[in-house]
C-alpha cells in the first residue's frame, strides 16, 4: 500500500465535533483563497445520519461556514484558521497509484 496525504479539518459544533477530509488539490485551492463547498455525511450519537455542508472562502484568514445536521443550521461560523488541522495518510491501493 502507498499512502496519500489528506488534510483533516475539524470544528466544534453544538453537539460535538465534525470534520472533513480535503485532498491536496482542494487544500491548495482553499489555502490560496479559492472558494470551495463540500458535503459530508455523518452520524450522530444515536446513529441518525445527516449531511453537513462546508463552505470555505478567503484562505486561512477567510471564512468557514459549516451547516450542520438535519435542518442545516449553522454549526460553525468563523475563520478557517480557528479550525483544527491534521495531516493524515490515507492508504491507496498500489494498482490505483500506478494506473
Amino acid at each position: 500500500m502507498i499512502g496519500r496525504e489528506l488534510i483533516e479539518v475539524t470544528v466544534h459544533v453544538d453537539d460535538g465535533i465534525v470534520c472533513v477530509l480535503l485532498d491536496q488539490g482542494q487544500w491548495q485551492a482553499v489555502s490560496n483563497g479559492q472558494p470551495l463547498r463540500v458535503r459530508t455525511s455523518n452520524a450522530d450519537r444515536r446513529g441518525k445520519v445527516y449531511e453537513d455542508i462546508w463552505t470555505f472562502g478567503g484562505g486561512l484568514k477567510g471564512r468557514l461556514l459549516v451547516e450542520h445536521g438535519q435542518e442545516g443550521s449553522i454549526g460553525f461560523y468563523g475563520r478557517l484558521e480557528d479550525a483544527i488541522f491534521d495531516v493524515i495518510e490515507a492508504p491507496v491501493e498500489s494498482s490505483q497509484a500506478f494506473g
Side-chain angles (χ1 to χ4, degrees):
M1 291 267 209
I2 296 174
R4 64 183 176 119
E5 287 185 343
L6 299 173
I7 308 301
E8 182 180 57
V9 181
T10 303
V11 296
H12 292 271
V13 294
D14 56 349
D15 60 349
I17 61 170
V18 293
C19 63
V20 63
L21 293 174
L22 302 179
D23 65 29
Q24 289 293 325
Q26 291 171 315
W27 177 249
Q28 187 70 32
V30 165
S31 60
N32 285 332
Q34 296 177 17
L36 178 68
R37 190 172 171 106
V38 178
R39 294 177 187 269
T40 62
S41 293
N42 293 295
D44 65 16
R45 293 180 186 138
R46 296 174 300 279
K48 194 174 207 179
V49 177
Y50 58 88
E51 184 176 82
D52 292 332
I53 301 172
W54 296 68
T55 304
F56 300 86
L60 289 174
K61 294 195 180 289
R63 72 179 173 93
L64 171 58
L65 169 66
V66 180
E67 298 169 66
H68 174 66
Q70 293 287 2
E71 296 81 33
S73 61
I74 304 292
F76 178 87
Y77 183 75
R79 290 183 173 195
L80 178 55
E81 67 184 358
D82 295 330
I84 300 165
F85 305 101
D86 196 14
V87 177
I88 63 171
E89 191 165 317
V92 175
E93 296 291 331
S94 58
S95 62
Q96 292 174 328
F98 298 107

